[in-house]
Amino acid sequence: MVRASEQEQDSYRSKLFNFKWRNNDNNVGKQCNSPIAKTGVDEAPAGSQEVEPLTIIHPNKSPLLSRPSADEAALAAAQAREKQLLAGIYPSDMEQMKERFSKLLLGEDNSGGGKGVCSALALSNAITNLAASVFGEQRRLEPMPADRRARWRREIDWLLSVTNYVVEFAPSQQKNKDGTTMEIMTTRQRTDLHMNIPALKKLDAMLIDCLENFKDQSEFSYVSKDSPDTDKAKGHDEKWWIPKVKVPPDGLSEASRRFLQYQKDCVNQVLKAAMAINAQVLFEMEIPESYIDSLPKNGRASLGEQMYKNITVEFFDPDQFLNSMDMSSEHKILDLKNKIEASIIIWKRKMVQKDNKTSAPWASGVSLEKREVFEERAETILLILKHRYPGISQSSLDISKIQFSKDVGQSVLESYSRILESLAYTVLSRINDVLDADRAVNKRSLPTEPEEETLVGSMTLSDFMGWDFDQGNEDLDSKKETSDDPLTKEKQSAVATKKTSYLDTLGGVNSPTARH
């Protein structure tokens, strides 16, 4: 019985080594005769070729060769962890990334029933919600906590990585081996993303660096609204959720004022750049068919009888038109903006339709030339509104474009520029709060800068087009002193009142559907 078992083992060994070394005739005999222990492989005789450890299965299913030791398994695990550390991806980060992209693929429909939103809107909402969770509590001029700053950097890079694969074809020259050249088409990142994504990342870094610059300041602090040091001023009651600024009794030092003014100028430049990119992207977005179907039949129905007459007069003055409008609240300003935008689209579409088909000579209606004049006047009013009230909520047209956009690149650019615009506006407002508190303590009678000049820049639209708004403001002041009409006083006071907009609250970074 023992001899038969040994012969069977010799037969298995002979077959295995003949298969392994069938091309080495000189060494086959030596290797077949090498003894194999039940627990491992002994060293081969001198002069024979070294044999790699092989796992041989015994007829009784027991391994003849030893398995990797515990030290080798620990070394392999350590190498795997080192690769993860070098890649900057930890197990917890990997799980977060899986969760984020799973929600994007599901279109925010966790049931998986295919009722989710399109990829463009899902990505836009993801960027908006991330900014709301990271910057929603940034109500003071202080550096961001390290964990929140790291989370922002990490997760915004995940979401922006999608734009690396939005490409376009471009011609290129390829040189062949025989020296000839031929023109081929290669892919590159789309031009608008290649230009704007790095610019927005730079603006993002500038804003976070601006907050970091306040880590060493000690001249002003913040107190809660329940503190006895809190001033119950009317302006603070309008922003009850924002901590009250406390400055020294003798005010800020001159160095601190210069530092605050410098930071204000830097943030103002970031705000203007973010607003310009956002406005350009919204302008390039396609108008959804659902918005066009909801428009009235003509501009008169969109504007109303009185507003239509004011625009279509022979001698048109945009300043006089706006002074005649009731803009006593943000809701009324937004309503005016919606009506103006709707009338512009209606007139543009009618002009295109008239170009494509000839109308009968007896057909009634406004001529093509007059519609073009009315459309230019409406665009002028819209520009002035955006200039005077840059923090106003998004119009119905903008919301519709964002909600129904199918272009992933444009949706990413719009949402990223919008949340940077919101953050810049918030930081700028907090700086103004400190400066206002310093003025109140020192009781200086320095005039407050107009909000439109602070937010948009030194050169206004009226300066560019040659309109004399200063004269109009002087006339408005004289009317304010002499007029006894309550409605007139309400309109005049509303124009000069600084309004709290959606950008100054957490709602400034919410998704368009949720914000409205």
Side-chain angles (χ1 to χ4, degrees):
M1 181 69 68
V2 174
R3 183 179 298 277
S5 176
E6 291 177 354
Q7 291 177 355
E8 188 177 5
Q9 291 182 11
D10 292 340
S11 175
Y12 280 111
R13 286 196 294 269
S14 178
K15 290 179 180 180
L16 175 66
F17 288 113
N18 283 332
F19 176 76
K20 179 69 177 176
W21 308 106
R22 59 182 180 274
N23 295 327
N24 297 332
D25 297 334
N26 296 330
N27 296 329
V28 168
K30 296 179 181 180
Q31 292 171 0
C32 291
N33 295 327
S34 61
I36 301 179
K38 291 185 179 180
T39 58
V41 178
D42 295 338
E43 295 183 0
S48 62
Q49 186 173 350
E50 185 177 357
V51 182
E52 296 180 359
L54 299 174
T55 303
I56 304 177
I57 305 300
H58 193 268
N60 296 331
K61 306 298 182 182
S62 60
L64 294 177
L65 295 179
S66 62
R67 295 180 178 179
S69 63
D71 295 339
E72 293 177 349
L75 179 61
Q79 291 175 349
R81 286 195 299 270
E82 183 179 359
K83 290 181 179 180
Q84 287 184 348
L85 293 175
L86 292 176
I89 301 178
Y90 300 92
S92 60
D93 296 343
M94 182 68 73
E95 292 300 322
Q96 289 181 5
M97 185 166 62
K98 289 179 181 179
E99 179 185 358
R100 295 291 184 273
F101 283 96
S102 296
K103 289 182 178 179
L104 292 178
L105 292 174
L106 292 171
E108 301 178 355
D109 179 22
N110 293 336
S111 66
K115 299 179 181 179
V117 299
C118 66
S119 301
L121 182 57
L123 197 55
S124 175
N125 289 341
I127 295 175
T128 301
N129 295 333
L130 173 63
S133 61
V134 173
F135 301 120
E137 299 298 325
Q138 194 70 35
R139 299 173 181 173
R140 305 186 180 194
L141 289 177
E142 59 185 9
M144 292 177 59
D147 56 342
R148 278 203 289 140
R149 185 172 62 250
R151 179 195 170 195
W152 168 252
R153 294 291 191 200
R154 180 176 63 251
E155 296 191 20
I156 195 63
D157 285 342
W158 292 347
L159 297 175
L160 294 179
S161 64
V162 178
T163 60
N164 296 330
Y165 304 95
V166 180
V167 297
E168 62 184 2
F169 285 104
S172 178
Q173 297 289 334
Q174 178 179 342
K175 190 172 183 179
N176 300 325
K177 294 181 179 180
D178 57 358
T180 61
T181 60
M182 62 182 300
E183 190 176 72
I184 61 173
M185 298 298 290
T186 58
T187 58
R188 65 183 182 189
Q189 189 180 24
R190 214 168 67 184
T191 305
D192 57 340
L193 299 175
H194 180 70
M195 293 176 58
N196 291 322
I197 291 294
L200 290 174
K201 286 184 176 180
K202 180 65 175 179
L203 299 178
D204 185 357
M206 290 174 64
L207 285 176
I208 295 179
D209 290 343
C210 176
L211 292 174
E212 288 292 323
N213 293 333
F214 288 94
K215 63 181 179 180
D216 296 328
Q217 73 80 24
S218 58
E219 290 199 25
F220 64 89
S221 59
Y222 291 90
V223 295
S224 62
K225 64 175 183 178
D226 298 331
S227 175
D229 297 333
T230 303
D231 184 15
K232 303 297 182 181
K234 181 179 179 182
H236 185 64
D237 292 340
E238 294 177 356
K239 303 177 183 179
W240 54 267
W241 63 91
I242 299 175
K244 177 66 177 178
V245 181
K246 183 180 179 181
V247 297
D250 54 348
L252 300 174
S253 64
E254 191 62 30
S256 295
R257 294 193 192 101
R258 287 197 299 267
F259 169 75
L260 285 171
Q261 188 61 43
Y262 174 75
Q263 297 299 325
K264 180 179 177 180
D265 295 339
C266 293
V267 177
N268 190 23
Q269 296 298 319
V270 174
L271 177 63
K272 290 191 292 185
M275 289 176 63
I277 294 176
N278 186 263
Q280 181 64 26
V281 173
L282 283 173
F283 177 78
E284 293 176 355
M285 281 185 173
E286 185 179 355
I287 302 175
E289 289 295 331
S290 59
Y291 179 82
I292 295 176
D293 295 338
S294 66
L295 294 176
K297 294 180 62 176
N298 50 51
R300 185 190 296 268
S302 173
L303 295 172
E305 192 66 31
Q306 185 60 40
M307 199 182 304
Y308 181 80
K309 287 182 179 179
N310 293 340
I311 288 183
T312 58
V313 293
E314 185 177 358
F315 301 101
F316 174 72
D317 184 4
D319 184 33
Q320 184 178 358
F321 173 85
L322 290 175
N323 289 337
S324 64
M325 294 294 104
D326 182 11
M327 296 187 292
S328 56
S329 66
E330 182 177 350
H331 174 73
K332 293 179 179 179
I333 299 173
L334 183 61
D335 183 61
L336 175 62
K337 184 179 178 182
N338 289 332
K339 291 179 178 179
I340 294 294
E341 284 185 340
S343 63
I344 291 174
I345 295 176
I346 291 172
W347 285 327
K348 281 184 176 180
R349 287 176 57 83
K350 285 186 177 292
M351 286 189 292
V352 172
Q353 292 173 0
K354 276 205 170 186
D355 286 341
N356 294 336
K357 63 179 182 179
T358 58
S359 58
W362 58 84
S364 61
V366 184
S367 64
L368 181 63
E369 292 77 11
K370 285 188 176 181
R371 277 206 180 97
E372 187 175 357
V373 172
F374 297 162
E375 185 262 335
E376 290 178 355
R377 291 177 179 180
E379 285 188 344
T380 301
I381 295 172
L382 186 61
L383 286 174
I384 297 176
L385 282 176
K386 292 180 179 179
H387 174 80
R388 286 191 181 182
Y389 308 100
I392 202 69
S393 303
Q394 287 176 322
S395 63
S396 300
L397 176 60
D398 295 341
I399 296 172
S400 182
K401 285 183 175 181
I402 296 170
Q403 185 175 358
F404 294 97
S405 174
K406 304 298 182 183
D407 192 309
V408 174
Q410 289 182 340
S411 296
V412 171
L413 289 177
E414 191 283 326
S415 57
Y416 195 22
S417 60
R418 171 162 43 87
I419 60 104
L420 291 181
E421 177 185 341
S422 173
L423 179 60
Y425 192 93
T426 301
V427 175
L428 194 61
S429 299
R430 300 293 81 79
I431 295 176
N432 285 330
D433 290 342
V434 178
L435 295 176
D436 292 341
D438 181 52
R439 292 192 195 98
V441 168
N442 288 276
K443 300 186 184 307
R444 294 193 301 270
S445 59
L446 295 178
T448 306
E449 297 179 1
E451 185 172 350
E452 60 269 17
E453 183 176 335
T454 301
L455 297 178
V456 179
S458 57
M459 186 174 183
T460 65
L461 180 65
S462 58
D463 297 334
F464 180 77
M465 301 189 71
W467 296 330
D468 191 2
F469 276 8
D470 295 335
Q471 181 65 32
N473 291 334
E474 293 175 2
D475 296 340
L476 186 63
D477 295 336
S478 61
K479 291 178 182 179
K480 187 175 180 181
E481 295 175 356
T482 58
S483 176
D484 296 329
D485 186 7
L487 181 59
T488 304
K489 289 184 177 180
E490 182 183 4
K491 294 177 182 178
Q492 293 167 350
S493 60
V495 175
T497 303
K498 181 179 179 180
K499 296 174 175 58
T500 304
S501 71
Y502 77 104
L503 288 173
D504 205 15
T505 64
L506 180 60
V509 291
N510 286 343
S511 61
T513 306
R515 188 166 67 244
H516 299 275

